[in-house]
Structures are given as structure tokens and as C-alpha cells.
Amino acid sequence: MIKVVKPGLETTVQDEGRIGYYNIGMPPAGAVDQFAYAVGNMLVGNEAGAASLEMTYMGPELQFQQDGVITLTGGYIPPKINGVEVPMWKAISVSSGDVLSFGIVKHGARSYLAVAGGISVPPLMGSRSTYTLCGIGGYDGRPLKAGDVLTIGRMRARAVKAGTKVPDKWIPSITKPHEIRIVMGLCSYRLTDESKALFLQTEWTVTPEANRVGYRLKGERLGFVPRDQPFGAGSNPSNVVDLGYPIGSIQIPDGVEPIALLNDAVTGGGYATIATIISPDLSRFAQVKTGEKVRFVSISYEEARQVRIDFKQRLTQINEHLEGAM
């Protein structure tokens, strides 16, 4: 078991997400940085889908109440065991009584703690992920609080040798300004050509309104093609007849402050979504902090598909490498 001494800013139980219910309005939740989450499970020998802890900006203080193996991946919030800094992207042995704490965030926004066996909470709709807006999943449907006690599960697929690490070539680097790849659409036809170009030229600043639901960005005002609004659409030029929102879709209410929707966002509505972040880059976007700059880079659907194939192949290569190292 693991006792929560201090909860951190927002620490939640997350996994691959609640897949298959988007059509009834249930967003997947799940780890926002799926790459870091998946590699964490590989490093501790867990089955795919085992639950981990997602920690945002300020990590918790946790006391282990049994021996085990852990790893930390994702953004760099310097981890410490009993006050001594330990490396990330590496399997680490912990003993009963050890205390894991964190320093001030250095790079990225979210770190992931994977524990051999996974975090055991009751699955709901096929997932252990926390969806805080509805108060479901995870640990009582909420971020962790001081005094909570987490149970370690039994989703360990193989033993892991302490010290096993991910080679540097596969550890994502965080560069600034963040360049995030998108595919234009579904409703980019609503923007004027000048505004489409301005959207791609602008370095957008992440505002304090940035969480698991979405990131609001500040930059230039964009214009829409004039038209008589169709029946069923709102009166604002940024409105369309209600449609589904892809995860990672970007809407621009009234042409100001684009909002990129993430894992906990509503699944549909009446704002024009003018672009969608490609799925592999959602993990990179998850590591952008408030105040940092983002530039969107338009690629084709075919290019996005190849990036996704490469992303999955990279995860396969990492898993095969780690299996060989155990």
C-alpha cells in the first residue's frame, strides 16, 4: 500500500482511458501524456492498462508501506526518495517506509508514477481513470487527499531488474517554443484565408486556464467568413450546427483565445473546430505549462497517419528493448 502524506497540486489515478463511450457523451479521461504513461508501465513490468498516478506541476509526498518497484516518467518534477534525488525513466526499488517526494517542476507539466502491479481501484466502464468533472473512476472520483491509502494491484506481467532504464534516444525532449502538429479541419472553412495563415504564424501563449479539460491560448484575433448562420447554429460567426469534438480539436469562440480540448472535455457542441492536434503530439502538448509559447504546424492527414504509425512502432521498440533487459 501507499499512504498519501501530501497530495500535491492535482494527483489522480489514470490509465489508457475510458474508451468506447464517446458517442454517449463520456470523454475518455486517462493519462494526458499517453507516451510517458505507457513507458512507465513497461519499465515496471506491468500489463498494458495498469493504472498509474498522474501528477501535475507539484508532486505529492507518498510513503510506501510495502517493498516494491516504481518508475517516474514524463515532465521533470525532480523526484526524491527519502530526500535524495533519484533518476527518472528508470526502474527503482523502494522499501517499506520509504518516502517519495518532489522538488519544483523544471521541465514539462506532468509526471507519472508507475508501480509494479499498478494502482488498484475499482474499474468503471472498463477504466480506472479519474474523471473529476463527474466524480467517477480513480480514487473516489477525485484527486488524492492527505491520508488516502492506495492499494497496489496485481497487474504485473513480468519481473523487473532494478536499474533497468529507457535509453536516452527514446526519452522525449522538451524544446521551446513548443511546435505541435495539427491537421486543419473539421470547420477550418469558417476562417478567412488570412486568419488561417495567422493561426499558423502566431506563437500562442498558454493562459492560466489550462487543465485536463483543455488549454486556452492567447494571441491574435481571427476572423470568420461572413455568412447567414444556418438553422440550428448560434448567432456568433464562430458557431456551427452542433457536431462532435475530436480530442485535441481546437475551437475559437468569437475568434479570440483558441481552446484546445483534451481528455476530460465535452464530446460535442456548437463551436467551429478549425484544427485537431495529431494524437502522438497530444502527449507533447500535455507537457506545456501556463505562460509557455505554442506554435501549430499544419501537416496532411497522410503525414499524421505516418507519425502515428511511427509513434506506435517506437513504443513497441521500447517494450522489446526493456523485455530483453529483464
Side-chain angles (χ1 to χ4, degrees):
M1 292 189 289
I2 303 172
K3 182 178 180 180
V4 179
V5 180
K6 297 178 182 177
L9 183 61
E10 184 180 60
T11 304
T12 56
V13 177
Q14 300 293 346
D15 61 14
E16 293 175 328
R18 199 163 282 108
I19 308 300
Y21 301 96
Y22 211 71
N23 62 319
I24 60 169
M26 176 62 71
V32 188
D33 183 344
Q34 284 285 329
F35 180 85
Y37 157 77
V39 174
N41 267 335
M42 294 173 191
L43 264 170
V44 295
N46 283 346
E47 300 172 22
S52 299
L53 294 184
E54 180 180 272
M55 304 164 287
T56 303
Y57 285 0
M58 185 172 74
E61 184 173 313
L62 306 170
Q63 183 185 56
F64 296 96
Q65 299 189 331
Q66 64 189 78
D67 298 349
V69 176
I70 67 168
T71 193
L72 294 131
T73 57
Y76 185 46
I77 308 174
K80 302 174 184 177
I81 300 288
N82 301 326
V84 178
E85 198 163 320
V86 294
M88 298 183 65
W89 304 92
K90 184 176 184 179
I92 301 168
S93 292
V94 292
S95 301
S96 179
D98 283 351
V99 174
L100 172 66
S101 60
F102 295 84
I104 298 171
V105 60
K106 301 291 185 185
H107 309 293
R110 294 176 171 82
S111 289
Y112 292 84
L113 169 64
V115 181
I119 303 296
S120 179
V121 292
L124 177 71
M125 301 170 78
S127 170
R128 293 178 172 81
S129 287
T130 312
Y131 181 37
T132 57
L133 294 185
C134 283
I136 63 171
Y139 191 99
D140 289 345
R142 58 167 172 77
L144 299 183
K145 295 179 180 178
D148 290 342
V149 177
L150 301 167
T151 301
I152 297 175
R154 297 181 177 180
M155 293 186 68
R156 192 175 188 182
R158 57 180 184 264
V160 176
K161 188 189 306 178
T164 301
K165 61 174 294 187
V166 176
D168 291 345
K169 65 179 180 181
W170 284 319
I171 297 175
S173 58
I174 298 175
T175 57
K176 300 176 186 176
H178 302 273
E179 290 197 345
I180 302 297
R181 291 166 289 189
I182 58 166
V183 173
M184 294 298 288
L186 302 168
C187 302
S188 53
Y189 65 89
R190 291 294 301 123
L191 286 180
T192 64
D193 289 341
E194 294 77 12
S195 287
K196 288 178 193 172
L198 187 57
F199 173 70
L200 297 173
Q201 293 164 2
T202 300
E203 282 194 353
W204 300 93
T205 302
V206 177
T207 72
E209 294 180 71
N211 52 37
R212 290 180 46 84
V213 175
Y215 277 27
R216 185 182 289 270
L217 307 161
K218 196 166 186 176
E220 302 291 337
R221 186 180 187 98
L222 304 180
F224 293 89
V225 176
R227 70 170 180 176
D228 293 329
Q229 289 292 88
F231 177 77
S235 58
N236 192 282
S238 62
N239 290 137
V240 293
V241 177
D242 283 11
L243 77 172
Y245 292 155
I247 296 171
S249 61
I250 299 171
Q251 55 182 235
I252 311 179
D254 198 29
V256 296
E257 299 190 353
I259 301 171
L261 302 178
L262 298 178
N263 299 39
D264 287 2
V266 295
T267 59
Y271 283 116
T273 54
I274 57 97
T276 301
I277 298 171
I278 67 171
S279 56
D281 279 14
L282 286 170
S283 291
R284 296 173 53 218
F285 193 67
Q287 297 298 348
V288 182
K289 292 196 292 293
T290 291
E292 293 183 346
K293 305 282 188 182
V294 174
R295 193 170 75 84
F296 294 108
V297 178
S298 178
I299 64 174
S300 67
Y301 169 79
E302 290 73 22
E303 291 171 320
R305 185 171 178 274
Q306 186 59 52
V307 174
R308 181 170 177 163
I309 292 171
D310 295 343
F311 178 82
K312 290 185 175 181
Q313 286 179 340
R314 188 159 65 252
L315 284 174
T316 299
Q317 290 171 344
I318 294 171
N319 194 42
E320 290 173 351
H321 173 84
L322 293 176
E323 282 184 334
M326 294 175 187

